[in-house]
Amino acid sequence: MKLRDWHRNLFNKKSKIEWPCPNCGNSTLVLNADKFESNETAESKKARDDHDYWDYDWIRLIFNGILECQKCNETIVFNGYGNVEHRHFYDQVSDEYSEELVETYSPTFFLPPLHVIKIPANCPEMVRDEIIDSFKLFWFDLSSCANKIRTALEILLSEQKVNKTALTKKGNRRRLKLHERIIEYKKENSEIADYLLAIKWIGNSGSHVGVLERSDILDAYEILEFSLNKIFDEKELKIKKMASEINKRKGTRKKKSGK
């Protein structure tokens, strides 16, 4: 599933589920129709009784259901809201115009959470856990999701041994802001620091209600995934170490005994 496909969050009971399984990563989740339950909300029922000009598109639903992975047998509980669409269409078989009511749903919570991006296997556990916590919020609270991503950056910088504090002129310790820590990290890895800075600006926007859109969070996730792969990709780390040793020796690497 491509990252930008996470914009598509609507489904109905006949939809092909494209979200990847959080356990195996394969797009093999299916809806268990026998364990899917949808009910009209109390407010929706009241509107039906109170208004003479009520129509089907006023209906508001709440649902809960089960997704099952056909590859690894993982089970995901999810819930959210829905509405009813009154559709008119031409039936070529009967050569007549027909109509139907279709319930369309939008999820707000998954347990375990779906993984919007792939996290490298050797990514530190604390960073991984914070990113996964952000996945939980992706569906219903973009601001909190952005703040979680921002916190993941703080933890990532700590894992990269970037100082959390600095000495003042008076000799006291003060806590460094995230921006300052990223600038400090720039001395070691300027390319990745620029990526983290871009994510930080998106995270800052999470403090302002109504500013963020789903596409902004997907921007942050895309940059974060790329950054993590650059930092923790074992092959890249091996090549960097190899090149560094050759450059330091100004010649071939030191040969291991027996090689």
Side-chain angles (χ1 to χ4, degrees):
M1 181 173 176
K2 296 179 180 178
L3 189 62
R4 296 298 155 176
D5 288 341
W6 289 94
H7 274 296
R8 301 203 301 265
N9 65 326
L10 299 178
F11 73 98
N12 59 54
K13 293 178 182 178
K14 296 180 180 179
S15 295
K16 179 182 178 182
I17 303 299
E18 296 183 0
W19 302 311
C21 172
N23 183 52
C24 68
N26 291 293
S27 297
T28 49
L29 295 178
V30 294
L31 179 67
N32 186 325
D34 294 333
K35 295 182 180 180
F36 188 87
E37 183 178 1
S38 173
N39 295 287
E40 189 174 0
T41 65
E43 183 179 1
S44 179
K45 292 176 182 177
K46 187 175 184 302
R48 183 198 298 265
D49 296 334
D50 291 349
H51 298 279
D52 295 333
Y53 50 89
W54 177 91
D55 202 353
Y56 287 105
D57 59 6
W58 286 40
I59 295 177
R60 294 296 177 264
L61 306 167
I62 188 168
F63 79 86
N64 62 80
I66 298 289
L67 294 170
E68 297 173 339
C69 181
Q70 295 179 306
K71 182 75 172 180
C72 69
N73 297 319
E74 178 67 290
T75 298
I76 297 101
V77 178
F78 74 133
N79 56 36
Y81 294 95
N83 54 33
V84 174
E85 296 181 19
H86 192 194
R87 296 180 181 176
H88 299 265
F89 63 95
Y90 174 70
D91 189 332
Q92 293 182 333
V93 177
S94 64
D95 194 28
E96 295 179 348
Y97 281 96
S98 300
E99 59 182 343
E100 65 177 349
L101 298 177
V102 178
E103 295 183 359
T104 303
Y105 305 101
S106 176
T108 57
F109 182 76
F110 293 85
L111 185 69
L114 304 186
H115 291 196
V116 182
I117 59 173
K118 292 182 179 179
I119 306 172
N122 55 339
C123 178
E125 185 177 356
M126 289 183 65
V127 179
R128 173 186 299 274
D129 290 346
E130 200 68 20
I131 295 172
I132 291 175
D133 279 347
S134 78
F135 295 155
K136 299 175 184 177
L137 299 163
F138 174 72
W139 301 92
F140 67 94
D141 192 339
L142 295 178
S143 293
S144 296
C145 179
N147 285 328
K148 275 290 181 184
I149 295 172
R150 194 181 189 280
T151 304
L153 296 189
E154 291 275 14
I155 300 172
L156 175 62
L157 290 172
S158 295
E159 292 287 346
Q160 294 298 299
K161 311 301 182 184
V162 179
N163 290 330
K164 296 180 181 179
T165 63
L167 282 173
T168 66
K169 292 181 179 179
K170 295 182 178 181
N172 299 319
R173 282 278 171 187
R174 72 172 183 87
R175 187 174 182 82
L176 292 174
K177 296 179 180 178
L178 176 58
H179 188 99
E180 294 174 306
R181 298 185 73 197
I182 293 174
I183 297 303
E184 184 68 22
Y185 184 55
K186 202 176 183 74
K187 298 174 184 177
E188 178 183 339
N189 195 326
S190 60
E191 179 187 10
I192 300 300
D194 283 341
Y195 299 148
L196 301 187
L197 195 59
I199 299 170
K200 189 220 72 164
W201 292 123
I202 296 175
N204 286 359
S205 299
S207 302
H208 306 286
V209 179
V211 172
L212 286 173
E213 296 181 2
R214 193 175 296 271
S215 60
D216 300 316
I217 298 297
L218 292 175
D219 286 344
Y221 277 141
E222 186 169 5
I223 300 170
L224 179 60
E225 182 179 41
F226 184 80
S227 300
L228 293 176
N229 284 330
K230 293 284 285 185
I231 296 172
F232 298 113
D233 180 83
E234 292 182 354
K235 184 175 181 180
E236 183 162 341
L237 290 174
K238 181 181 178 181
I239 295 298
K240 282 184 177 180
K241 184 178 180 180
M242 188 187 303
S244 177
E245 184 181 345
I246 292 170
N247 288 332
K248 186 176 181 179
R249 291 172 60 87
K250 297 181 179 179
T252 60
R253 289 192 297 156
K254 184 179 180 179
K255 302 298 187 294
K256 295 181 180 180
S257 59
K259 298 292 184 180

